[in-house]
Amino acid sequence: MGTGKRLGWLTTATALVLAVVMVIVMGKDDGTAQNAAAQTSATPTTTTTPGPITPLGQPAPAGPTPTLPAPTGQQPAWMRKLKPGEKPPQFVLFSFDGGVSAKHWEAITPIAKRTGARVTAMLSGVYLLSEDQANQYTGPGHKPGESAIGFGGSPADITARIKYLNDALDAGHEFGTHYNGHFCEGEGAPVGSWSTAGWNSEIDQFDRYLRALDARGLRITPEMIKGGRTPCLEGNWDQLFPAAHAHNYVYDTSHVSFGVTWPTVDRGMWEFPLPEVRIPALDRKVVMMDFNFWYVLDGAKEGDDARGPEFSPIVLDTYRSTYLAAYNGNRAPLVVANHFNEWAGGAFSTAVQDFMSETCTKPETVCATYSQVIQWMQLQDPAVLDAFRKLPAAHN
Ligand SMILES: [Zn+2]
């Protein structure tokens, strides 16, 4: 599907942030929608002219700390204020971009149930539209019906999806957004070129798709979405964050940190960065995300399924050593970011499932959602959180 070609412009491993191209889960290239789009004569949107950005080298202002309502109902024992001098739990945040794959939910659900893990799925809004509804989506700077990751299949696929997404919600998992069309650098009007107006349009459309499924029984509402991860970790934060605020988002998890670090408040949003870590088997650095592992391991070569058994332990070992570095170090929440995918014969899905399976029941370890960790942070003395942030980043 041209993954290698799409990434040809990348020059360094760190610049290489998971471009998930059409392979996420839907498995279907969307020629139909593209053709349909070509036949429409829609007025191009004017939502891709960003204003000034925070100058390089200047830290972005923190802004006000956003808050969530306190959790209701019976809470786990760890959801409390730390005692003086007490170490925080080692949080692990499993998150899955795209968020729609019956097969992968079927694999994750029993592990989560057995270990008490809660995960966060970053839904791609286009997967809430069937192919015949593709023209309901117009990405900023794009024509109606364009999407880099296709759409959600047949109406029957959508019906099945509503059921398993509701089941995941009932199991306590959280839903964020991966936005809609997944337009990365190298395509026309990538997310990094979008203005606040463009992002507002993108999120409004995402919300509309959720609301439209309300009548068909989907119980995930726009009000439940509290944050997200941008496609390929790209975006102009000065433009995105005002739109995220306008939609009552309180977190973003698209930035990259050197090692595992505590979340900070950036322009009024909780920022949970993805750590850049070392792959011990290769002694190479990687932003800890599935696609990035794949790219470092063999250039994200399609048709490399046979190498899955070789890759999976390398990735699992990276997770393990990173977890230990954080656990024995600054105890910063560890963001494990994946897609529901079958790349390299499912090597990365296998690694993340094995890691979840063995880690979430470990002592002083909590596999939680973004909202849960924010609610936990709200219970802490701000000076204590500040002190955690001053600890050295955890490096494996
Ligand atoms: Zn993605």
Side-chain angles (χ1 to χ4, degrees):
M1 289 199 190
T3 315
K5 190 187 102 218
R6 289 166 53 92
L7 292 171
W9 55 275
L10 288 166
T11 49
T12 71
T14 37
L16 192 248
V17 213
L18 66 141
V20 166
V21 223
M22 31 224 136
V23 227
I24 303 189
V25 266
M26 306 308 301
K28 213 186 277 179
D29 200 352
D30 191 48
T32 320
Q34 299 290 344
N35 293 342
Q39 287 157 16
T40 59
S41 56
T43 317
T45 53
T46 53
T47 47
T48 54
T49 315
I53 60 168
T54 302
L56 282 176
Q58 287 185 23
T65 300
T67 56
L68 286 175
T72 53
Q74 170 110 30
Q75 290 304 309
W78 54 263
M79 185 64 90
R80 61 171 177 79
K81 186 174 183 173
L82 292 174
K83 296 174 194 129
E86 187 183 4
K87 276 192 174 182
Q90 176 59 56
F91 289 110
V92 185
L93 294 115
F94 289 93
S95 51
F96 299 96
D97 292 353
V100 303
S101 163
K103 179 184 172 182
H104 290 91
W105 277 116
E106 277 164 21
I108 291 291
T109 302
I111 300 171
K113 193 169 180 197
R114 181 173 54 76
T115 62
R118 291 192 182 191
V119 307
T120 307
M122 304 297 180
L123 284 177
S124 291
V126 286
Y127 296 154
L128 302 175
L129 296 176
S130 50
E131 307 286 343
D132 57 358
Q133 297 174 312
N135 277 350
Q136 291 184 24
Y137 173 56
T138 307
H142 291 266
K143 293 184 179 135
E146 285 182 358
S147 160
I149 52 172
F151 288 87
S154 69
D157 290 334
I158 303 284
T159 302
R161 192 159 302 137
I162 289 169
K163 162 111 183 44
Y164 67 71
L165 291 178
N166 279 338
D167 289 346
L169 185 69
D170 290 342
H173 303 305
E174 176 170 334
F175 290 89
T177 183
H178 197 38
Y179 305 93
N180 300 312
H182 212 288
F183 300 112
C184 297
E185 188 64 50
E187 324 214 22
V191 295
S193 71
W194 293 359
S195 65
T196 298
W199 283 109
N200 273 322
S201 162
E202 180 80 349
I203 303 171
D204 286 345
Q205 293 185 78
F206 179 91
D207 288 353
R208 202 177 306 147
Y209 310 146
L210 282 179
R211 266 192 219 103
L213 292 184
D214 194 51
R216 292 176 60 186
L218 182 68
R219 283 182 277 107
I220 302 166
T221 65
E223 292 71 30
M224 291 176 187
I225 310 295
K226 295 298 178 191
R229 182 177 296 120
T230 61
C232 307
L233 311 183
E234 294 172 11
N236 176 340
W237 318 118
D238 284 326
Q239 298 296 322
L240 167 60
F241 286 4
H245 276 298
H247 291 81
N248 295 316
Y249 291 179
V250 296
Y251 72 86
D252 172 75
T253 179
S254 313
H255 294 192
V256 171
S257 58
F258 186 46
V260 189
T261 61
W262 276 85
T264 56
V265 178
D266 178 342
R267 285 159 278 196
M269 297 282 282
W270 278 111
E271 181 59 49
F272 290 77
L274 273 61
E276 185 185 84
V277 303
R278 196 173 58 91
I279 303 176
L282 307 179
D283 198 22
R284 282 190 62 181
K285 296 268 173 57
V286 68
V287 174
M288 203 172 78
M289 199 166 189
D290 48 7
F291 186 87
N292 304 51
F293 278 117
W294 192 24
Y295 193 87
V296 169
L297 283 162
D298 75 351
K301 198 182 291 168
E302 306 218 4
D304 61 353
D305 288 3
R307 297 191 70 184
E310 174 195 344
F311 292 168
S312 202
I314 293 174
V315 175
L316 180 58
D317 180 49
T318 306
Y319 287 147
R320 284 172 173 162
S321 60
T322 303
Y323 164 84
L324 278 176
Y327 183 90
N328 294 322
N330 64 354
R331 290 276 174 109
L334 177 61
V335 174
V336 178
N338 263 36
H339 292 76
F340 283 149
N341 71 79
E342 289 297 302
W343 300 326
F348 309 102
S349 292
T350 301
V352 83
Q353 287 160 21
D354 289 351
F355 181 61
M356 184 185 295
S357 209
E358 69 181 27
T359 306
C360 296
T361 52
K362 285 194 170 159
E364 297 179 47
T365 301
V366 175
C367 297
T369 70
Y370 285 85
S371 288
Q372 286 184 303
V373 176
I374 291 168
Q375 287 164 329
W376 178 87
M377 289 194 293
Q378 287 175 185
L379 294 172
Q380 311 310 318
D381 180 345
V384 167
L385 290 179
D386 273 343
F388 292 157
R389 285 191 199 101
K390 291 198 175 88
L391 295 171
H395 295 284
N396 66 327

